[in-house]
Amino acid sequence: MQQVLRILKPEEYFIEEEPYYESVGDEIAVFEAAYRNGLPVLLKGPTGCGKTRFMEHMAWRLKRALITVSCHDDLTASDLVGRFLVKGGETIWVDGPLARAVRAGGICYLDEIVEARKDTTVVIHPLADDRRVLPMEKAGELLAAPDDFCLAISYNPGYQSVLKDLKQSTRQRFVALEFDYPEAGLEQRILEKETGVAPEQARRLVKFAHMTRNLKGQGLDEGASTRLLVHAAKLIVSGVAPVTACRSAIAQALTDDADMLAAVYELSASLF
């Protein structure tokens, strides 16, 4: 059976309904100001703290198509920009997600940019400075970004290393926004709004999360994220016992180390 190549159109990336997002500072105002001035934006913060949800909210707020790319070690410049493909006996050029976002005047969000190869991230440099152009060397085209195009990238500083660090030549092209987990009251409200979990259960989940975050660097690479709390709360609302929900949605997701798992299990058992 012949595989059919389907390319999503930019209009298919529009977010029709407002994504729920609670502002924790002036990040919305800063992003909007950067967008109006054609400045690219860098989001940095721990896993599951709301960076992607923020981007979805801003795309809805600005009424722009949002094209997200999850970066990885094998991501090439051609994956972003485009390549020639053979279709029906003909060789045709197919835009990559970055080129599609530029042509449509949308938002291109490169998630976890430090996971991409260094020679791949260089391709965004002309888009991220005053030139605002995307060289498409294989197609023989220089694509100029319209005023409503926006480039955004993200990464987790907690996972930085010599091999996976954001180069200064890249970093200093961006307006940076720092994200972190919400304060306890706000995080509880997020859980209640997102999942419908009872306030007391939400309060205990947030307290449990703070306990695990205190273990960061003492056996855990990361504590429980807001995303994991949402997962646990959804299980609880569906009838799963809180201790079991914490074990499956949080503890097992944080570590495989038997001693750390036992410690995290004890923390959850002390609250539920």
Side-chain angles (χ1 to χ4, degrees), residues 76-87:
T76 67
S78 294
D79 292 329
L80 287 178
V81 177
R83 53 168 52 91
F84 284 104
L85 295 177
V86 177
K87 182 180 179 182

Side-chain angles (χ1 to χ4, degrees), residues 1-5 86-89:
M1 182 176 179
Q2 186 176 7
Q3 185 177 6
V4 177
L5 179 66
V86 177
K87 182 180 179 182

Side-chain angles (χ1 to χ4, degrees), residues 95 98-99 102-103 127 132-136 141-145:
D95 281 342
L98 182 56
V102 173
R103 291 190 197 277
L127 271 177
R132 283 178 61 85
V133 296
L134 177 62
M136 303 172 68
E141 183 178 359
L142 187 64
L143 193 58

Side-chain angles (χ1 to χ4, degrees), residues 89-238:
E90 294 183 332
T91 301
I92 62 171
W93 174 264
V94 177
D95 281 342
L98 182 56
R100 291 201 300 274
V102 173
R103 291 190 197 277
I107 299 173
C108 186
Y109 174 46
L110 305 180
D111 190 21
E112 294 298 342
I113 185 70
V114 294
E115 296 297 330
R117 296 175 355 192
K118 294 292 188 290
D119 59 333
T120 299
T121 56
V122 171
V123 78
I124 70 174
H125 284 186
L127 271 177
D129 57 30
D130 291 341
R131 291 171 289 177
R132 283 178 61 85
V133 296
L134 177 62
M136 303 172 68
E137 296 175 359
K138 292 183 179 179
E141 183 178 359
L142 187 64
L143 193 58
D147 291 341
D148 45 10
F149 168 76
C150 177
L151 176 64
I153 64 176
S154 73
Y155 79 104
N156 180 354
Y159 290 151
Q160 275 187 274
S161 68
V162 175
L163 296 177
K164 290 191 174 181
D165 192 5
L166 198 59
K167 292 166 49 176
Q168 287 294 329
S169 59
T170 302
R171 183 196 299 267
Q172 293 198 25
R173 285 173 157 82
F174 289 79
V175 172
L177 291 173
E178 186 170 10
F179 287 74
D180 204 345
Y181 301 123
E183 56 87 20
L186 176 56
E187 195 163 35
Q188 178 179 336
R189 188 162 74 244
I190 290 171
L191 292 186
E192 294 173 21
K193 175 73 174 179
E194 282 276 279
T195 69
V197 71
E200 179 59 22
Q201 299 282 37
R203 184 189 68 80
R204 293 185 184 187
L205 281 171
V206 170
K207 186 174 182 179
F208 175 49
H210 281 265
M211 289 177 172
T212 66
R213 291 166 192 169
N214 289 335
L215 294 176
K216 181 177 179 180
Q218 302 179 48
L220 289 181
D221 293 329
E222 291 278 353
S225 67
T226 305
R227 178 190 295 134
L228 291 186
L229 296 187
V230 169
H231 292 174
K234 287 181 177 179
L235 292 182
I236 292 172
V237 170
S238 297

